[in-house]
């Protein structure tokens, strides 16, 4: 009778009210809800004799039979996938002389009630124990807590004192209720039952509080007199800052509970500290998006099985890295808070290595929950799904259907991090194989091939069906999907929209996209670009060799050009003259030049320019909107940076933008004319300079013929006069072998300060120079044609190069 009373709650869930087992029926949804209570061992059976046998049932029904068994305590079961038979056992692997035996086509399932509890090693809840049971395993203790009906069991302390029998202590309170803190005790582990309410969105890291910092305050808000669940709710509802954790103090000196909210986690402040004055405080951290897929075990670790390491990441980021790892199947990770917030990915779980080791310090272990969903309707812009029981092998006779639907004018991109459905026959989509069938809306179904990485649909709706047979199983698949903008599409429905690939993220290099927009007969296409940010082009002129958008007034590549657009610009509109428009986007192969791209909306309008109220409202939404960076979800940004805010503004902007192509052509013609005028001016300057040099040369020749004589035949006065003349002309004639009068002079470049030096100490008279010839002066090569002439006690005279125009 006691066993029957313990199962009253399950009798209500399963509606077991019939006399004969054959009359029992379960809905698939109810039966599947019990899969999380069992752990699967592929191609194994138990060495013991079964306590009961059920034929011709599904795996889910067999699971429900074990949970609802009233005649005996069902601890495990085996399922024959070929004969569809169910074997129920009153023993499991924790019992003596029980082991697993290899057998083809049969899987063994062990109860796993501990999955319903969050383990907190080396902690206990010190309240009056409601029930104490000795010498049972943690799994059995968890089962007793779940099936307890005399009081509401919220968890249990599991004592493992050396030299004494282990004890299971069921308690009615937990840190989640706010009545008792979890205190440290090396010989006890506390198992907290899965909670409800706001507190279920947090992980309890036990005794400790955020370490104070010198530079900033770790708490942004404190509240007195609230429960732990109320504190969690306040953290979730906080809007003035991003609340990620809270410290909860159980009954301070004034016997009041205190809630401290914080925007930090332990990794931000180098871990937790224990208040020696009042140690009755627990630290809770928010379970962010990707952590929801993991069981958390604080202060525990898998030793020596880490396969990849990342530093300076948050626990949520570490969880995402594990889920998206494609080099191996990541099943768990260890997170070390101090000193560098380290993430250690592993393909092992506690079951694979015989249990976890208790860690000293701020090290926590996370294991991926089995993904039990067999199909579903997915409508979010991004998400993921996997074969049932991932990251372990899927079961036999699976038939799962996922329907993914995104917004119109988008397609669905599927990315597989792992895809293994076992050996495949040569026939595609053979009924003998395990397979994943893809049915794109309106297209012929096809099967995903082995080692597939990505699949892109042709529409915004897709159906995926996973089928497994009765023979062998495999690892399965893990897939992520994301709604993407179309590329190379024919658009015929108004209103509509399109954008560059990945918008509002940066578009990939080497993109080539074409959109043909076709309106009904008698209508034209009205396009508004709400955001436009492409690669910048030099001189502000668009170059088709770089990233650009090209719009043609027609449905073919030979249609007339409306405009070529590049760079960044505010909202603008384009209107066709007919019913077709061709929009072409091209990006070069330079990844550094990638930008967010563009987003556009379009409607069809009558040739007289009138737009329906519905289309007008659609095309005005988000005009001038600046694209915000996408981080997992599309965020709507209502900051208006343009001036187009009404239909009248759109129409006036349309008239102005229609002439963009003509104005661009005019600018090109003007630029060419300016370049031509500049070239002619340079040519004229060079011609004038040439003839001027020629005239100056003839003049110098004439002067030489009239004024240059041999020095030895000239009188002294003439020599001095000629010397002065040549001094002005920057040359000395030494005709006839006579040495010219050397001057101590320095010729210095006006631009570079380089000098040519005639090394003479004193300027001799002309007669002395003729009677006592001296060797020619040593010449240092000048740096330019400009210099200064130095004479004895005479002011420097600039010498001008005659060859300069």
């Amino acid at each position: 009778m006691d066993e029957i009373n313990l199962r009253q709650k399950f009798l209500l869930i399963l509606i077991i009210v019939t006399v004969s087992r054959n009359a029992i029926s379960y809905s698939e949804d109810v039966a599947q809800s019990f899969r999380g209570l069992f752990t699967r061992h592929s191609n194994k059976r138990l060495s013991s004799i079964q306590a009961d046998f059920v034929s011709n049932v599904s795996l889910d029904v067999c699971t429900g039979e074990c949970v609802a068994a009233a005649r005996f305590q069902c601890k495990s079961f085996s399922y024959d996938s070929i004969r569809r038979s169910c074997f129920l056992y009153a023993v499991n692997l924790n019992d003596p002389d029980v082991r697993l035996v290899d057998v083809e086509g049969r899987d063994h399932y062990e109860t796993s009630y501990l999955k319903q509890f969050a383990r907190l090693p080396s902690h206990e809840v010190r309240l009056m124990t409601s029930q104490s049971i000795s010498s049972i395993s943690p799994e059995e203790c968890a089962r007793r807590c779940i099936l307890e009906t005399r009081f509401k069991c919220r968890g249990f302390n599991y004592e493992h004192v050396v030299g004494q029998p282990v004890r299971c202590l069921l308690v009615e309170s937990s840190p989640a209720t706010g009545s008792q803190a979890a205190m440290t005790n090396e010989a006890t582990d506390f198992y907290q039952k899965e909670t409800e309410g706001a507190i279920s969105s947090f992980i309890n890291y036990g005794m400790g509080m955020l370490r104070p910092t010198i530079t900033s305050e770790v708490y942004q808000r404190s509240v007195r007199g609230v429960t732990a669940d109320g504190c969690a709710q306040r953290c979730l509802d906080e809007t003035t800052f991003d609340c990620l954790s809270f410290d909860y103090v159980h009954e301070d000196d004034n016997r009041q509970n205190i809630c401290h909210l914080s925007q930090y986690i332990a990794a931000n402040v180098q871990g937790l500290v224990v208040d020696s004055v009042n140690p009755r405080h627990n630290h809770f951290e928010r379970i962010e998006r990707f952590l929801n897929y993991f069981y958390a075990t604080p202060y525990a670790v898998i030793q020596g099985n880490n396969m990849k390491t990342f530093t300076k990441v948050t626990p949520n980021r570490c969880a995402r890295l594990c889920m998206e790892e494609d080099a191996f199947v990541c099943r768990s990770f260890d997170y070390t808070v101090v000193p560098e917030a380290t993430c250690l990915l592993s393909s092992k779980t506690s079951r694979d290595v015989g249990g976890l080791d208790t860690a000293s310090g701020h090290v926590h272990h996370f294991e991926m929950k089995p993904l039990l969903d067999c199909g579903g309707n997915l409508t979010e812009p991004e998400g993921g799904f996997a074969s049932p029981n991932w990251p372990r092998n899927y079961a036999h006779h699976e038939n799962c259907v996922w329907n993914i639907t995104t917004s119109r004018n988008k397609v669905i991109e599927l990315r597989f991090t792992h895809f293994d459905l076992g050996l495949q026959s040569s026939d595609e989509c053979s009924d003998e194989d395990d397979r994943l069938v893809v049915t794109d809306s309106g297209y012929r179904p096809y099967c995903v091939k082995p080692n597939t990485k990505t699949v892109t649909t042709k529409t915004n709706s897709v159906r995926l069906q996973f089928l497994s047979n009765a023979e062998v199983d495999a690892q399965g698949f893990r897939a992520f999907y994301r709604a993407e903008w179309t590329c190379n599409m024919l658009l015929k429905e108004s209103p509509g929209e399109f954008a560059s690939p990945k918008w509002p993220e940066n578009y990939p290099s080497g993109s080539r996209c074409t959109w043909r927009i076709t309106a009904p007969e008698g209508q034209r296409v009205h396009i508004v670009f709400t955001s436009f940010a492409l690669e910048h082009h030099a001189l502000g002129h668009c170059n088709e060799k770089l990233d650009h958008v090209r719009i043609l007034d027609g449905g073919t590549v030979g249609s007339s050009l409306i405009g070529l657009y590049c760079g960044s610009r505010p909202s603008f509109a384009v209107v066709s003259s007919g019913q077709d428009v061709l929009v072409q986007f091209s990006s070069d192969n330079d990844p550094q030049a990638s930008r967010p791209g563009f987003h556009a909306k379009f409607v069809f309008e009558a040739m007289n320019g009138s737009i329906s109220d519905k289309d007008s409202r659609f095309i005005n939404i988000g005009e001038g909107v600046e694209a915000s960076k996408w981080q997992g979800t599309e965020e709507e940004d209502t900051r208006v940076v343009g001036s187009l805010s009404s239909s009248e503004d759109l129409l006036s902007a349309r008239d102005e933008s229609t002439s963009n192509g003509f104005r661009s052509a005019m600018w090109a013609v003007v630029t060419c004319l300016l370049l031509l005028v500049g070239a002619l001016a340079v040519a004229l300057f060079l011609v004038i300079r040439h003839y001027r040099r020629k005239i100056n040369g003839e003049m110098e020749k004439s002067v030489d013929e009239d004024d240059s004589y041999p020095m030895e035949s000239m009188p002294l006065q003439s020599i001095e006069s000629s010397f002065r003349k040549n001094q002005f002309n920057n040359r000395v004639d030494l005709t006839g072998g006579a040495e010219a009068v050397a001057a101590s002079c320095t010729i210095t470049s006006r631009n570079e300060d380089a000098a040519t030096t005639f090394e003479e100490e004193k300027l001799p008279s002309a007669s002395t120079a003729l009677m006592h010839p001296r060797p020619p002066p040593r010449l240092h090569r000048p740096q330019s044609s400009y210099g200064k002439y130095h004479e004895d006690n005479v002011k420097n005279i600039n010498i001008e190069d005659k060859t300069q125009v």
Side-chain angles (χ1 to χ4, degrees):
M1 293 298 294
D2 291 339
E3 291 292 335
I4 295 177
N5 291 333
L6 291 177
R7 292 172 174 77
Q8 288 179 352
K9 62 180 69 177
F10 291 100
L11 297 178
L12 295 175
I13 298 175
L14 300 173
I15 319 176
I16 305 175
V17 291
T18 58
V19 178
S20 172
R21 181 188 302 275
N22 294 331
I24 301 176
S25 62
Y26 307 98
S27 69
E28 290 295 326
D29 293 338
V30 172
Q32 286 184 12
S33 65
F34 294 109
R35 284 197 183 187
L37 297 177
F38 294 87
T39 301
R40 178 174 179 255
H41 300 270
S42 180
N43 293 322
K44 305 285 184 182
R45 70 171 178 84
L46 214 57
S47 61
S48 179
I49 300 176
Q50 69 268 15
D52 204 351
F53 171 79
V54 186
S55 62
N56 196 26
V57 293
S58 66
L59 172 62
D60 294 321
V61 173
C62 185
T63 303
E65 292 286 352
C66 185
V67 171
R71 187 170 57 84
F72 64 98
Q73 177 185 341
C74 181
K75 294 183 178 180
S76 64
F77 70 90
S78 294
Y79 183 74
D80 190 325
S81 58
I82 298 176
R83 298 176 178 82
R84 298 176 63 87
S85 301
C86 176
F87 304 87
L88 306 181
Y89 296 91
V91 295
N92 58 20
L93 293 176
N94 293 321
D95 293 314
D97 301 327
V98 177
R99 68 185 187 279
L100 291 175
V101 178
D102 293 334
V103 59
E104 192 70 25
R106 186 182 296 189
D107 299 329
H108 183 69
Y109 291 82
E110 290 273 320
T111 57
S112 184
Y113 293 102
L114 279 176
K115 291 182 179 180
Q116 309 301 313
F117 292 80
R119 180 189 173 205
L120 190 57
S122 302
H123 282 73
E124 67 174 341
V125 173
R126 298 174 183 174
L127 279 180
M128 182 180 297
T129 302
S130 300
Q131 186 175 359
S132 176
I133 309 104
S134 299
S135 301
I136 63 173
S137 65
E139 173 69 20
E140 179 62 21
C141 190
R143 175 180 173 275
R144 294 290 187 99
C145 184
I146 289 177
L147 300 180
E148 182 58 57
T149 58
R150 292 169 294 179
F151 59 91
K152 189 170 184 177
C153 180
R154 300 183 182 274
F156 61 90
N157 293 319
Y158 192 76
E159 293 182 353
H160 43 85
V161 181
V162 178
Q164 298 182 14
V166 295
R167 286 204 307 164
C168 169
L169 307 173
L170 306 184
V171 296
E172 297 184 60
S173 182
S174 72
T177 62
S179 56
Q180 178 63 41
M183 311 292 286
T184 56
N185 185 341
E186 296 295 332
T188 305
D189 295 338
F190 177 67
Y191 291 81
Q192 179 175 296
K193 191 177 178 181
E194 285 187 345
T195 55
E196 299 176 353
I199 198 70
S200 62
S201 300
F202 292 80
I203 298 173
N204 182 6
Y205 285 93
M207 192 167 67
M209 59 191 303
L210 291 174
R211 185 184 300 275
T213 63
I214 300 175
T215 57
S216 61
E217 178 63 44
V218 296
Y219 300 128
Q220 281 65 55
R221 179 169 297 180
S222 297
V223 183
R224 290 180 176 270
V226 295
T227 63
D229 189 72
C231 186
Q233 189 63 55
R234 288 176 179 266
C235 185
L236 295 176
D237 295 340
E238 185 58 54
T239 58
T240 58
F241 62 93
D242 188 14
C243 183
L244 296 178
S245 71
F246 66 89
D247 289 340
Y248 191 77
V249 182
H250 297 262
E251 297 184 358
D252 62 353
D253 296 337
N254 298 323
R255 300 191 64 80
Q256 282 189 324
N257 298 331
I258 305 178
C259 167
H260 299 293
L261 306 182
S262 178
Q263 62 183 353
Y264 302 108
I265 60 176
N268 299 135
V269 295
Q270 293 293 302
L272 305 176
V273 295
V274 176
D275 187 353
S276 57
V277 178
N278 181 17
R280 296 169 58 84
H281 47 255
N282 287 166
H283 178 69
F284 294 81
E285 289 188 5
R286 192 169 182 173
I287 303 176
E288 297 183 79
R289 176 183 175 185
F290 295 100
L291 283 176
N292 276 307
Y293 296 95
F294 290 82
Y295 298 113
T297 307
Y299 311 106
V301 65
I302 288 182
Q303 295 288 356
N305 285 280
N306 301 311
M307 304 182 67
K308 189 173 286 190
T309 302
F310 301 90
T311 58
K312 298 181 180 179
V313 297
T314 63
N316 186 64
R317 176 62 177 166
C318 188
R320 180 170 187 172
L321 290 171
C322 183
M323 294 179 64
E324 297 180 351
E325 179 59 47
D326 57 2
F328 59 94
V329 178
C330 181
R331 295 183 174 92
S332 69
F333 67 89
D334 293 330
Y335 186 80
T336 304
V337 176
V338 180
E340 288 190 304
T342 305
C343 169
L344 306 168
L345 305 186
S346 176
S347 63
K348 306 293 184 181
T349 63
S350 57
R351 191 183 77 180
D352 299 322
V353 298
L356 298 175
D357 295 326
T358 301
S360 58
H362 303 284
V363 182
H364 313 303
H365 181 70
F366 297 82
E367 290 191 3
M368 188 180 296
K369 298 177 181 178
L371 300 182
L372 305 176
D373 292 337
C374 183
N377 295 320
L378 308 176
T379 58
E380 297 296 325
E382 66 164 355
F385 58 96
S387 52
N389 202 45
W390 179 269
R392 301 290 180 178
N393 288 17
Y394 55 82
H396 302 286
H397 300 295
E398 296 285 12
N399 187 353
C400 310
V401 176
W402 292 272
N403 293 302
I404 306 176
T405 304
T406 63
S407 58
R408 192 165 59 89
N409 299 316
K410 287 190 177 183
V411 294
I412 302 168
E413 182 181 82
L414 298 168
R415 181 173 61 90
F416 293 91
T417 58
H418 299 276
F419 191 88
D420 178 13
L421 301 184
L423 295 176
Q424 302 287 302
S425 62
S426 58
D427 297 335
E428 185 177 354
C429 277
S430 172
D431 293 340
E432 299 177 357
D433 298 332
D434 296 346
R435 57 201 181 276
L436 180 63
V437 185
V438 180
T439 305
D440 208 341
S441 181
Y443 291 86
R444 181 181 177 182
Y446 62 92
C447 287
V448 180
K449 297 180 180 179
N451 301 318
T452 297
K453 294 300 182 182
T454 59
V455 172
T456 302
T457 66
K458 293 180 174 60
T459 65
N460 67 323
S461 178
V462 66
R463 180 179 186 268
L464 297 105
Q465 183 179 19
F466 172 61
L467 299 166
S468 65
N469 56 32
E471 296 178 1
V472 296
D473 58 9
Q475 179 68 58
F477 60 86
R478 183 71 169 106
F480 297 90
Y481 76 90
R482 176 176 172 176
E484 293 287 1
W485 292 100
T486 60
C487 190
N488 303 320
M489 295 294 291
L490 175 63
L491 305 175
K492 291 184 175 181
E493 297 184 15
S494 174
E497 54 186 329
F498 59 96
S500 55
K502 306 293 183 183
W503 187 86
E505 292 183 348
N506 289 358
Y507 51 79
S509 58
S511 297
R512 300 289 186 274
C513 293
T514 300
W515 297 269
R516 179 181 174 183
I517 308 174
T518 301
E521 190 72 28
Q523 294 187 344
R524 58 185 179 182
V525 182
H526 184 147
I527 306 174
V528 172
F529 286 85
T530 63
S531 176
F532 199 95
L534 269 60
E535 176 186 5
H536 176 70
H537 292 205
L539 302 177
H541 302 296
C542 295
N543 185 347
E544 291 195 10
K545 294 182 179 180
L546 303 179
D547 304 352
H548 67 277
V549 171
R550 192 166 178 260
I551 303 180
L552 303 176
D553 193 8
T556 63
V557 293
S559 303
S560 60
L561 179 68
I562 294 179
L564 191 68
Y565 306 93
C566 60
S568 297
R569 54 190 301 161
S571 300
F572 65 97
V574 174
V575 178
S576 67
S577 61
Q579 68 180 108
D580 291 313
V581 166
L582 203 66
V583 181
Q584 297 175 325
F585 168 65
S586 176
S587 64
D588 56 28
N589 294 321
D590 182 10
Q592 302 297 327
S594 182
R595 298 292 186 273
F598 65 89
H599 172 259
K601 296 182 177 182
F602 68 88
V603 295
F604 301 152
E605 64 180 19
M607 288 298 182
N608 59 10
S610 61
I611 308 175
S612 66
D613 293 338
K614 174 186 174 182
D615 289 349
S616 177
R617 288 194 300 270
F618 171 80
I619 205 168
N620 277 290
I621 295 175
E623 289 178 359
V625 172
E626 182 179 335
S628 59
K629 199 67 176 176
W630 185 73
Q631 297 178 348
T633 57
E634 293 181 316
E635 299 176 355
E636 184 178 1
D637 191 343
T638 57
R639 294 172 292 170
V640 177
V641 296
S643 58
L644 305 179
S645 57
S646 65
S647 299
E648 291 76 16
D649 293 333
L650 283 175
L651 294 174
S652 61
R654 174 199 65 192
D655 296 334
E656 179 181 357
S657 63
T658 306
S659 61
N660 281 343
F662 175 74
R663 284 186 291 180
S664 299
M666 290 299 298
W667 273 113
V669 172
V670 171
T671 302
C672 291
L673 291 176
L674 291 176
L675 291 175
L676 180 61
V677 171
L680 292 175
V682 171
L684 182 62
F685 171 76
L686 294 175
V687 171
I688 294 173
R689 180 178 179 181
H690 171 73
Y691 282 104
R692 184 173 179 180
R693 284 185 175 182
K694 184 175 181 180
I695 294 171
N696 288 340
E698 293 177 354
M699 294 177 62
E700 290 178 6
K701 182 177 180 181
S702 177
V703 171
D704 290 342
E705 292 175 352
D706 295 340
D707 297 339
S708 294
Y709 299 94
M711 275 196 165
E712 67 251 322
S713 63
M714 291 178 67
L716 181 61
Q717 294 82 0
S718 298
I719 293 175
E720 292 176 349
S721 175
S722 178
F723 184 82
R724 284 192 295 273
K725 181 190 290 185
N726 290 332
Q727 171 185 311
F728 178 79
N729 292 332
N730 192 23
R731 61 189 175 87
V732 177
D733 194 348
L734 300 179
T735 308
E739 182 182 2
V741 179
S744 175
C745 63
T746 303
I747 301 175
T748 308
S749 171
R750 295 178 181 175
N751 295 328
E752 300 185 22
D753 266 350
T756 300
T757 306
F758 294 91
E759 297 182 355
E760 291 294 331
E761 297 178 357
K762 186 176 181 180
L763 178 67
S765 65
S767 58
T768 304
L770 290 174
M771 297 175 64
H772 304 283
R774 302 177 64 180
R778 289 175 295 176
L779 179 64
H780 298 278
R781 185 176 298 276
Q783 300 297 319
S784 75
S785 60
Y786 294 96
K788 293 184 179 181
Y789 175 78
H790 293 273
E791 190 179 8
D792 289 347
N793 302 320
V794 180
K795 185 177 180 180
N796 296 340
I797 300 175
N798 291 334
I799 302 173
E800 182 176 330
D801 189 350
K802 293 183 178 181
T803 62
Q804 182 178 0
V805 179

